[in-house]
Structures are given as structure tokens and as C-alpha cells.
């Protein structure tokens, strides 16, 4: 009885081993292993002509699970044959089809290396399907669908380039190209470069994609508005949709001065707020002349813990300029001083701006009260000249101009003030301590 049991166990083990071998190496495992060994020896010697018939035999006999290297080596051999048979179109096309199939097979059976396999497929599509843009385009779409943001950036660039060519040939429509562009740019933004060099390379490719799309002039602003308006209305709270609209319209010349762009940018900030999006909205509202909304967004950007002092200083100065142009002098005055507090390198141009603000300020009151702002203006222009000598010529011109508006000595005497007296100017929400100066 024990002998029978041991015999059954042995049979199961032998059978199991046989089944396992058959599962990995196929029905004729011995032949599979033999030809794997044969082709590999020639392959190592780079004797590809001798390796190819043995590889083909192994590829026919062995299942894909037999050896991943068989598939990788096969791509090398197919590329060799493609180059060797460049004049035989039919055979070359069959070899290309086999090459691309090998990548698909590797991705299917070796999931750990699927991304690499599909990216390699994309590279081979670039190299070997140049004469068939439609097949190239469809191949790129398969790679992108499989790899998403792990797709090699240059494959994304070639995808848009091919899409533009197909559009210009009448094969696909403008909306298809727009959708491809949105998808590709979205994937580029989702990528996480491992090194600074990789980041720089990705940034360059993204700019190349944007430049290619813009230069193609596939979508003018009116077309984008008609296309994106229903999308925005259907999905106003979908960040990907809204961001795509903003990026696309921002990349199209003259397409940011419209209500759809402003609505989409505002919604994007609501869904995913940051100091950059707040600053972006400041610029949009400032361009539209809505200074109150512009101020609110800039103050939100500055208040964000994400922005540093140098960034905030530049924002304060830009806010000061915007407020000055809008006639909000008190806000401009304070913002210019805030810029200097955060970064003293802004002293020269901030003092210059403050000088022009005081020099243009119209104040009510008597003769002295109306002219007193010019004293403050000159004070700040002198500070500007001292802080930044490159501003000296401009500052001196304004100092001469404003000094000519100083009150006459006799006028000052009538109000019981003389040269050298301290004088506080309070006007238009601004306040400054200055020194009386008169002219004969």
C-alpha cells in the first residue's frame, strides 16, 4: 500500500514537473530550449544572420512566457532585418508589423516592463512608420492610452505633429487635434521628472508642443470659444476640463480677453487655488480695468504661505504700478513701500514710482496745501536717485519739473511758513512728513 502511495506521489510530481515545463516552454519544451540556446550563441557574437533562423524557430516553438529576453532580442533582430531590406517594401512592412507585435507581447506577458515595452514601441513607430502617418498616429494613441503620463515626452510631441499633418491632409478634424493637444498637455503636467535635467528636457518639449500647435493655426479664438463654451457649461466643476480650456486659450494668440477665458480661469482658481492662479487672475482683471477685483486676487497671492518674500516683493511692486495707473494712489503708495520692506532692491524704482504718485496728486486747500505734494515728490525722487544711480537722469528731470511748482517765498510767508520748516502733507489717503522749500 505504501509503495502504491509513493508511486502515485512520484507520478504526480513527475507529471507536475512535465506540465510546468510544458506551460513555460510549450508543448515541445526540449526543442524550444534548444533553439533558445542556439540563437543566443549567435546573438552574443552579433552574428545576426545566423541567429535569425534559430530565433524564428524558438519564437515559433516557445510561448511568450518562455523567456522575456527572446522578445527583446527579437526587436533587435527585426530592426536589423528592416535596415537590411529597406528596398523590399512588402517584406519591410511585415518586419515592422512583427517588431511592433513583439513590443505588445512583452507588455502583455511581462507587466513589470509594460511601460518600457510600450515606450520602445513608440520609438519604433517614430522611426519606421514615417511614410504612413495614419498608422503612426494610431500607434501613438495606443502607446499613450497604455502609458498615460509615463509616456516618453518625445512620443507626445510626435503625436501632435502627426495629428497636425493629418488635419492638414483632411484625414482628421480640428476638434480631434484639439482633444489630442489637451490630452498631451495634461499628461505633460502630470509627469514627475526624476532629475533637474529631465525637468528641463520635459519643459522644452512642452514648449515645442505648444509652439507647434499655435503655429499650425488650427484653432482661432472664435473656434475655441464655440468649442469650449458648451464644455465649460456642462462641466464647470471639473478641474481637468477647466484647466484644459485655460491652457488652450492662453496658448492661442489674442484669446484671453473674453468672458469664457475669465470664467474658466476664475473657476480653475476656485477648484485648485494657489498663489500663481491668484496672480494670474490679478493680471486678467487688471487688464480689464477691474482694479478692485485685481487688488483682491493680488492680496490673496501675497498672503499665500506658498510664495516667498522675493516673489511677494515683486507682486507688491506690480500692484503699486497697477494701482497708480488706475488712480488708486493711496494703495499704490503703500504697496510700493511694502515692496521695499520685503526686498530693498526695489527701493530705486519704488521710490521713483512714489515720487510720480505724489507729483500727480491733486490736493484741495489753500495755495500751500495744493503745492505741498511737490515737496514730497522731490523727496522720494532724490531717494530713488540715491538708491539706483541708473535712474538719476529721469529723476533729475522730474525733480526740476516739480521744483518749478514750489510756492513762492512770499506766498509761504503769508501762511507763516519758511524754508526749512517741517511740514506734514495729508492728502488722498496718504500722509508724509516733508520740508518746506520755496522759490523766489
Amino acid at each position: 500500500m505504501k509503495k502504491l502511495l509513493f508511486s502515485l506521489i512520484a507520478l504526480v510530481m513527475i507529471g507536475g514537473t512535465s506540465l510546468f515545463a510544458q506551460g513555460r516552454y510549450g508543448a515541445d519544451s526540449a526543442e524550444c530550449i534548444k533553439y533558445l540556446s542556439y540563437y543566443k550563441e549567435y546573438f552574443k557574437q552579433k552574428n545576426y544572420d545566423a541567429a535569425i533562423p534559430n530565433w524564428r524557430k524558438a519564437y515559433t516553438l516557445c510561448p511568450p512566457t518562455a523567456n522575456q529576453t527572446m522578445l527583446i532580442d527579437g526587436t533587435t533582430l527585426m530592426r536589423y532585418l528592416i535596415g537590411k531590406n529597406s528596398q523590399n517594401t512588402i517584406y519591410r512592412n511585415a518586419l515592422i508589423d512583427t517588431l511592433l507585435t513583439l513590443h505588445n507581447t512583452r507588455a502583455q506577458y511581462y507587466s513589470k516592463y509594460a511601460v518600457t515595452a510600450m515606450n520602445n514601441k513608440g520609438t519604433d513607430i517614430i522611426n519606421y512608420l514615417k511614410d504612413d502617418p495614419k498608422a503612426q498616429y494610431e500607434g501613438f494613441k495606443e502607446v499613450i492610452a497604455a502609458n498615460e503620463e509615463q509616456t516618453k515626452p518625445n512620443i507626445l510631441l510626435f503625436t501632435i505633429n502627426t495629428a497636425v499633418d493629418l488635419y492638414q491632409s483632411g484625414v482628421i478634424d480640428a476638434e480631434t487635434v484639439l482633444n489630442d493637444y489637451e490630452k498631451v498637455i495634461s499628461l505633460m503636467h502630470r509627469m514627475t521628472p526624476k532629475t533637474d535635467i529631465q525637468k528641463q528636457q520635459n519643459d522644452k518639449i512642452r514648449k515645442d508642443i505648444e509652439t507647434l500647435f499655435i503655429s499650425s493655426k488650427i484653432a482661432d479664438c472664435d473656434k475655441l470659444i464655440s468649442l469650449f463654451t458648451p464644455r465649460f457649461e456642462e462641466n464647470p466643476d471639473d478641474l481637468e476640463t477647466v484647466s484644459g480650456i485655460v491652457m488652450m486659450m492662453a496658448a492661442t494668440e489674442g484669446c484671453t480677453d473674453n468672458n469664457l477665458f475669465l470664467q474658466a480661469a476664475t473657476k480653475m482658481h476656485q477648484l485648485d487655488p494657489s498663489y500663481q492662479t491668484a496672480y494670474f487672475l490679478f493680471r486678467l482683471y487688471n487688464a480689464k480695468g477691474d482694479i478692485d477685483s485685481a487688488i483682491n486676487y493680488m492680496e490673496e497671492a501675497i498672503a499665500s504661505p506658498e510664495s516667498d518674500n522675493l516673489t511677494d516683493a515683486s507682486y507688491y511692486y506690480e500692484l503699486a504700478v497697477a494701482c497708480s495707473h488706475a488712480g488708486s494712489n493711496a494703495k499704490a503708495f503703500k504697496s510700493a513701500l511694502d515692496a521695499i520692506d520685503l526686498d530693498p532692491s526695489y527701493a530705486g524704482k519704488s521710490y521713483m514710482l512714489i515720487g510720480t504718485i505724489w507729483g500727480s496728486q491733486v490736493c484741495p486747500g489753500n495755495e500751500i496745501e495744493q503745492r505741498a505734494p511737490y515737496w514730497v515728490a522731490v523727496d522720494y525722487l532724490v531717494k530713488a536717485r540715491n538708491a539706483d544711480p541708473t535712474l538719476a537722469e529721469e529723476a533729475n528731470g522730474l525733480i526740476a519739473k516739480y521744483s518749478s511748482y514750489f510756492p513762492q517765498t512770499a506766498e509761504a510767508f503769508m501762511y507763516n511758513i519758511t524754508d526749512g520748516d517741517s511740514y506734514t502733507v495729508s492728502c488722498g489717503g496718504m500722509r508724509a512728513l516733508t520740508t518746506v522749500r520755496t522759490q523766489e
Side-chain angles (χ1 to χ4, degrees):
M1 186 67 179
K2 285 184 179 181
K3 279 188 177 183
L4 178 61
L5 181 59
F6 286 136
S7 297
L8 287 171
I9 292 173
L11 181 62
V12 170
M13 290 179 67
I14 293 168
T17 303
S18 175
L19 288 171
F20 175 77
Q22 181 175 331
R24 179 176 178 183
Y25 293 105
D28 196 343
S29 58
E31 288 294 289
C32 167
I33 294 170
K34 181 176 75 174
Y35 282 104
L36 283 173
S37 176
Y38 284 174
Y39 100 78
K40 195 65 178 177
E41 286 303 313
Y42 291 119
F43 188 89
K44 288 177 182 177
Q45 300 166 27
K46 298 190 182 299
N47 185 354
Y48 293 156
D49 289 316
I52 286 167
N54 290 286
W55 177 87
R56 279 182 169 148
K57 194 72 176 176
Y59 186 60
T60 302
L61 291 167
C62 304
T65 52
N67 193 318
Q68 180 181 193
T69 305
M70 174 184 69
L71 303 175
I72 298 171
D73 291 344
T75 62
T76 300
L77 297 174
M78 289 305 106
R79 293 187 194 107
Y80 170 75
L81 282 175
I82 291 167
K84 192 176 179 181
N85 294 275
S86 58
Q87 303 304 313
N88 187 339
T89 303
I90 295 175
Y91 185 42
R92 181 180 182 276
N93 289 341
L95 292 169
I96 292 171
D97 186 63
T98 300
L99 172 63
L100 301 183
T101 300
L102 286 169
H103 292 305
N104 287 339
T105 302
R106 185 186 179 201
Q108 178 183 353
Y109 287 94
Y110 299 92
S111 58
K112 183 178 177 181
Y113 302 96
V115 169
T116 300
M118 294 305 288
N119 277 330
N120 289 344
K121 178 182 178 180
T123 300
D124 283 331
I125 289 171
I126 292 171
N127 292 329
Y128 298 118
L129 291 182
K130 296 175 183 177
D131 298 329
D132 190 349
K134 193 168 188 304
Q136 193 176 51
Y137 175 72
E138 291 170 352
F140 289 147
K141 297 293 283 289
E142 289 177 6
V143 173
I144 292 170
N147 283 4
E148 289 282 321
E149 69 270 20
Q150 296 183 77
T151 306
K152 281 185 176 179
N154 70 314
I155 295 173
L156 301 180
L157 174 59
F158 273 92
T159 300
I160 297 303
N161 186 59
T162 308
V164 170
D165 288 344
L166 291 175
Y167 167 78
Q168 293 171 343
S169 303
V171 178
I172 61 177
D173 58 22
E175 185 169 355
T176 300
V177 184
L178 287 170
N179 289 336
D180 289 337
Y181 177 80
E182 284 184 278
K183 174 71 173 179
V184 161
I185 290 297
S186 174
L187 293 178
M188 291 293 297
H189 282 281
R190 283 160 53 187
M191 289 180 179
T192 53
K194 296 179 180 178
T195 65
D196 289 340
I197 292 176
Q198 194 177 69
K199 182 180 184 305
Q200 291 172 6
Q201 292 171 339
N202 287 6
D203 289 344
K204 182 183 182 305
I205 289 176
R206 187 178 69 252
K207 289 177 182 177
D208 288 343
I209 291 171
E210 292 171 348
T211 300
L212 173 63
F213 180 79
I214 294 168
S215 64
S216 71
K217 297 183 179 178
I218 287 173
D220 59 23
C221 191
D222 290 340
K223 189 178 291 184
L224 289 179
I225 291 173
S226 64
L227 177 67
F228 288 147
T229 296
R231 290 193 193 182
F232 179 74
E233 291 173 349
E234 290 171 11
N235 297 293
D237 296 318
D238 180 67
L239 180 60
E240 186 171 349
T241 297
V242 173
S243 299
I245 292 171
V246 171
M247 286 187 289
M248 184 80 73
M249 297 183 78
T252 303
E253 185 176 357
C255 204
T256 58
D257 187 18
N258 58 78
N259 287 333
L260 174 62
F261 183 77
L262 185 62
Q263 290 171 357
T266 303
K267 178 59 75 170
M268 184 177 73
H269 177 66
Q270 291 173 0
L271 296 171
D272 187 23
S274 69
Y275 75 93
Q276 293 102 326
T277 55
Y279 170 70
F280 184 51
L281 286 169
F282 155 78
R283 297 192 67 178
L284 288 179
Y285 280 101
N286 183 47
K288 290 179 68 69
D290 186 349
I291 191 63
D292 291 335
S293 296
I295 290 171
N296 288 338
Y297 281 113
M298 184 62 101
E299 289 181 340
E300 182 180 343
I302 293 170
S304 171
E306 297 173 351
S307 61
D308 57 27
N309 283 352
L310 294 180
T311 300
D312 290 344
S314 70
Y315 284 178
Y316 268 128
Y317 178 74
E318 192 169 346
L319 178 60
V321 172
C323 289
S324 174
H325 289 163
S328 299
N329 286 346
K331 186 67 177 177
F333 176 49
K334 181 181 184 306
S335 298
L337 292 176
D338 288 337
I340 299 170
D341 286 342
L342 290 178
D343 185 357
S345 69
Y346 280 89
K349 55 186 180 181
S350 290
Y351 287 142
M352 177 71 78
L353 178 63
I354 293 171
T356 60
I357 290 170
W358 277 102
S360 64
Q361 185 67 31
V362 178
C363 298
N366 59 41
E367 194 70 23
I368 300 302
E369 291 168 337
Q370 291 178 22
R371 293 174 180 265
Y374 296 120
W375 295 330
V376 183
V378 170
D379 292 342
Y380 279 103
L381 290 169
V382 170
K383 287 184 176 182
R385 182 180 64 191
N386 293 339
D388 185 353
T390 64
L391 299 174
E393 183 176 354
E394 183 181 359
N396 288 336
L398 290 171
I399 288 169
K401 175 184 175 181
Y402 294 147
S403 296
S404 68
Y405 302 144
F406 287 173
Q408 299 293 319
T409 303
E411 291 175 329
F413 180 75
M414 290 176 60
Y415 291 97
N416 198 31
I417 59 173
T418 59
D419 279 298
D421 288 348
S422 292
Y423 189 94
T424 299
V425 183
S426 183
C427 175
M430 300 183 294
R431 188 179 181 87
L433 179 64
T434 187
T435 303
V436 173
R437 277 147 286 176
T438 63
Q439 54 182 335
E440 295 296 332

